[in-house]
Amino acid sequence: MSSSSPLSFVHDSLRQRVVFDSGRAVEAVTEQVEELHIRRPLLVSTRSAHAVAAAVADRVAPAAHRPDAVQHVPRRDADETTALAHESGADGIISIGGGSATGLAKVVALRTGLPIIAVPTTYAASEATPVWSITDDRTKRTGTDPAALPKVVVYDADLVSTLPRDLAVASALNALAHSVDSLWAPQANPINRVFCIESARALATALRSLAEEEAPDRDGRRKVQEQALYGCYLSGVAFGSAGSGLHHKICHVLGGTFNLPHAATHAVILRHVAALNLPELPTVADDLATALGGAEAGAALHRLYREVGAPRSLAELGMPEDGIAEAVERILAVVPAGNPVAVTEENLTALLTAAHRGDDPA
Ligand code: NAD
């Protein structure tokens, strides 16, 4: 197959059911458990999802419950939860919470072959991807496997309504990072680009409303959250198809090595990687600019960041300045082939230094 033709590519469409059903997460999960003939679900949740997890447990009588998933999937948690699945005789997994719950469920699914019903409470979008991760000794490993892709996703906008404003903004920017990074990721193609651009449009619109201090009425708020979930889902589909680009490789290293908050780290890094790569992709950059509501993509991203009060620096997230050199060394070892700009120790150090200080990208 020639790589010279722009219409020469390979695209896999992944099989997954998505249910959007605001206000009905518990009922929708119960229906999907029945459809998948799951009798003994393992429940995996984050602490913040305690109430909805308890309501689901009342309906589906779980075989076991792991209620304390944390970010980056520490290996010990993965081992313990896999053992829990085996010991309890679980025949399916229900994950309820942010990307931490989904991520833990994915590693257990990978090891056991159990189907996942994912119920997200953030905009992480992990539920829409076959990408798994596990962290061991300050090193986050990731991989892609269809067994890690949830069989069903249930989106209920009411579940994201409890996110504090700053976390909602950071999380939606994490979703936007999937969309933007997928534009130059290793398997980027014209099909997943459609998802990237539409998700960027939906997320940029929703982000501006999510960031408003004065909430509209409940119905208005719900519509915004539904739009954000719609954009988040599309961003996950794009990322699951296009693979991890430079932005994700950088964030995986920072998250795994320094245990930084996942969503905010993505939010800080995104505009720096965009400033590096977008000038090499003028057509794509034009499409992204339109999606973000501006004439030029970099400037439109800056404006969006200002409007929504996005997190700006790695320092404020707790990364030590003397960690930059170690991060650069680790990232250089995993830079994706085909990044539109050659990544060197020099430009990567400059990028991380600017991101650490919160400077605007060069
Ligand atoms: P998270 O799940 O840890 O949630 C962040 C914080 O918000 C936690 O303290 C959580 O308890 C709280 N929270 C979650 N939902 C809430 C709600 N509705 N109301 C109030 N508080 C709430 O973090 P995350 O950013 O959602 O996900 C991060 C994890 O997901 C990381 O481990 C990351 O690697 C993984 N991830 C994976 C992929 C993938 O494709 N594999 C994609 C995105 C994220």
Side-chain angles (χ1 to χ4, degrees):
M1 197 173 69
S2 160
S3 60
S4 59
S5 162
L7 278 183
S8 175
F9 61 87
V10 174
H11 177 85
D12 289 315
S13 294
L14 303 176
R15 186 178 157 77
Q16 182 179 64
R17 172 175 289 184
V18 186
V19 179
F20 274 78
D21 207 353
S22 296
R24 285 194 74 252
V26 176
E27 294 80 359
V29 170
T30 310
E31 288 157 14
Q32 297 303 320
V33 163
E34 282 168 12
E35 284 212 26
L36 291 181
H37 305 292
I38 295 172
R39 302 275 171 260
R40 298 178 57 75
L42 168 70
L43 199 52
V44 175
S45 58
T46 40
R47 290 200 186 285
S48 55
H50 166 77
V52 62
V56 167
D58 274 352
R59 293 284 195 98
V60 302
H65 184 185
R66 173 94 200 207
D68 58 353
V70 296
Q71 64 174 358
H72 307 313
V73 193
R75 176 175 294 280
R76 198 177 65 177
D77 292 11
D79 293 347
E80 288 172 0
T81 313
T82 306
L84 192 60
H86 286 308
E87 287 155 14
S88 64
D91 60 356
I93 307 171
I94 302 171
S95 66
I96 307 179
S100 296
T102 318
L104 180 55
K106 283 170 136 180
V107 175
V108 177
L110 191 65
R111 292 168 167 184
T112 60
L114 296 177
I116 303 173
I117 298 173
V119 188
T121 66
T122 68
Y123 304 112
S126 174
E127 63 277 1
T129 86
V131 180
W132 55 269
S133 64
I134 190 163
T135 303
D136 207 3
D137 190 22
R138 299 175 71 236
T139 301
K140 185 166 176 172
R141 270 195 313 122
T142 64
T144 301
D145 195 308
L149 181 74
K151 293 279 175 288
V152 179
V153 181
V154 172
Y155 285 116
D156 176 345
D158 291 0
L159 301 186
V160 288
S161 67
T162 50
L163 280 169
R165 180 193 161 284
D166 287 354
L167 190 51
V169 165
S171 189
L173 285 169
N174 180 192
L176 183 64
H178 296 316
S179 318
V180 177
D181 200 32
S182 298
L183 292 169
W184 49 67
Q187 287 90 43
N189 68 42
I191 293 178
N192 51 45
R193 193 174 304 139
V194 173
F195 292 106
C196 297
I197 297 300
E198 170 61 1
S199 59
R201 185 204 60 75
L203 285 164
T205 308
L207 260 159
R208 293 189 164 98
S209 299
L210 287 175
E212 281 167 11
E213 294 294 349
E214 286 304 315
D217 59 27
R218 185 164 178 273
D219 282 353
R221 198 82 187 145
R222 199 186 236 188
K223 281 192 187 125
V224 168
Q225 286 150 352
E226 285 172 344
Q227 277 302 299
L229 285 172
Y230 163 71
C232 145
Y233 178 70
L234 294 182
S235 81
V237 173
F239 171 62
S241 168
S244 292
L246 177 64
H247 168 89
H248 275 77
K249 294 296 184 186
I250 292 174
C251 292
H252 289 158
V253 168
L254 297 177
T257 309
F258 304 104
N259 195 27
L260 303 184
H262 179 86
T265 304
H266 277 265
V268 170
I269 292 296
L270 175 62
R271 64 196 189 111
H272 294 276
V273 180
L276 182 72
N277 279 348
L278 280 174
E280 295 299 312
L281 302 168
T283 308
V284 164
D286 283 350
D287 289 347
L288 180 64
T290 305
L292 298 178
E296 193 275 318
L301 206 52
H302 292 316
R303 202 182 74 212
L304 180 66
Y305 268 60
R306 270 200 311 278
E307 286 173 4
V308 303
R312 295 181 70 85
S313 81
L314 294 175
E316 76 192 61
L317 305 184
M319 177 172 167
E321 191 174 359
D322 62 7
I324 291 176
E326 181 185 6
V328 167
E329 193 185 331
R330 286 176 175 249
I331 293 162
L332 284 175
V334 294
V335 169
N339 190 66
V341 174
V343 180
T344 63
E345 183 176 346
E346 194 183 18
N347 63 14
L348 191 52
T349 302
L351 186 156
L352 287 184
T353 303
H356 190 269
R357 290 191 195 133
D359 292 348
D360 285 338

